Amino acid sequence: MEEMKRCPQCGQMVRTVAKKCRYCGYWFDEHASQEAPHAETPRTEEPRQEPPRKEAYRTQAVPPTPPIGSDGERLITVSGVLCEGIGLGLKNFLSIFVAYILYILTCWIPYINVGTTIAMVNLPISLSKSEGRMISPTFIFDGQYRKYMGEFFNLLGLMAISLLPAFMFIIVPGIIISYGWSQAYYLMFDKEISPSESMIQSTKITYGYKSTLFWIDIVFFLIMAIASGLINWLISLIVDSQILTMIITALIISLFSVAKVGCNAVVYRELQKRL
């Protein structure tokens, strides 16, 4: 008969050679307990981290892009545009003047006249990218402009349909919207975007500058009117000739037309930086 011993923990009888009670798991030999699986150490609960709170949904309207450049200064001013624009236009006077002459001579040719018209509308783009170089007057015959015929007429129609009712509300809304869309033609061709998108982007980049664009036109017109009247008055004191007066007037209009293209080029060059 096998010798038995009593488990000091549960009181059950087990064999003397047993190292562990088969009833309660008590280890009889202290050294044998080292071979047993280590008891699980109690886990220390780590502090519970709450998930990051989501920011409350903002119901406020996102403010439009401020009318300043990256350095905090305004991109265009009335005096800055007039000084630089008039200089840029007069520097390219000969090229622009020849381009106008070529356009007048060929505007009666079907299909060709659409491309040249688009080129003349986008003349400020070419001037803004000239980087001090003289532009070529024959650029109006570049075939790339004719591939935008659909977009050109689409944009022209969209603007006409939208501005007509705007001008019916005592003119002012139509004027404001006109200045907001003043860069749409340039953006559509230069950035190659859709007509509707060009109107949206033009409204964004002209935000905060519509009054500046308005005063640029007003001051430019006053300068042209005063200079034209003063020159014609001085000529009438010297020579009483209507033909000479007409020639001088046409020359003055040509100079100021070219200068206005230069002003438009400066405005577009600076405002498109906001995209």
Side-chain angles (χ1 to χ4, degrees):
M1 183 175 180
E2 295 184 3
E3 294 182 0
M4 306 294 286
K5 62 181 179 181
R6 188 180 298 277
C7 176
Q9 180 168 311
C10 63
Q12 296 293 335
M13 300 299 294
V14 295
R15 290 183 298 175
T16 304
V17 295
K19 295 180 179 181
K20 180 181 178 182
C21 177
R22 60 191 182 92
Y23 297 103
C24 64
Y26 176 78
W27 288 88
F28 297 101
D29 191 349
E30 294 180 356
H31 299 287
S33 63
Q34 297 178 0
E35 300 176 3
H38 294 287
E40 295 183 358
T41 57
R43 297 181 180 179
T44 57
E45 295 185 359
E46 298 181 356
R48 184 178 180 183
Q49 296 181 354
E50 296 183 359
R53 296 181 179 179
K54 295 183 179 180
E55 295 184 0
Y57 180 77
R58 298 180 179 179
T59 57
Q60 297 89 346
V62 178
T65 306
I68 56 177
S70 58
D71 55 356
E73 297 182 359
R74 290 185 66 83
L75 294 173
I76 60 172
T77 59
V78 175
S79 59
V81 170
L82 291 176
C83 292
E84 185 179 359
I86 291 175
L88 180 62
L90 294 181
K91 182 179 179 180
N92 290 270
F93 172 77
L94 184 60
S95 297
I96 298 175
F97 182 76
V98 173
Y100 272 110
I101 296 300
L102 293 174
Y103 174 71
I104 294 172
L105 294 176
T106 59
C107 65
W108 56 273
I109 303 176
Y111 184 63
I112 298 296
N113 55 7
V114 178
T116 55
T117 300
I118 296 174
M120 295 303 295
V121 169
N122 289 278
L123 182 56
I125 298 178
S126 302
L127 203 58
S128 66
K129 296 182 178 181
S130 62
E131 297 180 352
R133 300 186 303 270
M134 296 286 290
I135 63 174
S136 173
T138 58
F139 81 96
I140 65 172
F141 298 113
D142 194 330
Q144 65 171 336
Y145 295 106
R146 290 191 291 273
K147 71 178 182 179
Y148 295 107
M149 283 193 299
E151 290 83 355
F152 175 74
F153 288 117
N154 194 348
L155 179 58
L156 188 65
L158 286 174
M159 294 179 67
I161 294 173
S162 302
L163 289 174
L164 180 59
F167 275 106
M168 294 174 62
F169 285 88
I170 319 179
I171 301 177
V172 175
I175 295 176
I176 295 174
I177 296 174
S178 297
Y179 280 107
W181 291 342
S182 61
Q183 309 302 305
Y185 285 107
Y186 310 143
L187 290 172
M188 184 176 69
F189 294 105
D190 187 30
K191 307 301 181 182
E192 295 186 347
I193 56 180
S194 65
S196 57
E197 181 65 20
S198 66
M199 295 166 70
I200 295 174
Q201 297 301 326
S202 178
T203 301
K204 289 183 179 180
I205 66 174
T206 55
Y207 171 77
Y209 287 105
K210 295 183 185 67
S211 59
T212 304
L213 297 176
F214 174 77
W215 285 112
I216 288 173
D217 288 343
I218 293 297
V219 174
F220 186 87
F221 174 79
L222 291 175
I223 293 174
M224 182 180 70
I226 293 172
S228 178
L230 183 60
I231 292 173
N232 283 327
W233 176 71
L234 291 175
I235 292 175
S236 64
L237 294 178
I238 301 172
V239 180
D240 187 11
S241 174
Q242 290 184 346
I243 296 177
L244 181 60
T245 302
M246 292 174 61
I247 294 175
I248 296 298
T249 302
L251 180 60
I252 293 173
I253 293 175
S254 300
L255 288 171
F256 277 97
S257 298
V258 171
K260 189 63 171 67
V261 173
C263 292
N264 292 340
V266 173
V267 168
Y268 174 72
R269 185 194 65 196
E270 298 301 322
L271 291 187
Q272 60 91 24
K273 295 176 181 178
R274 304 182 75 188
L275 291 177

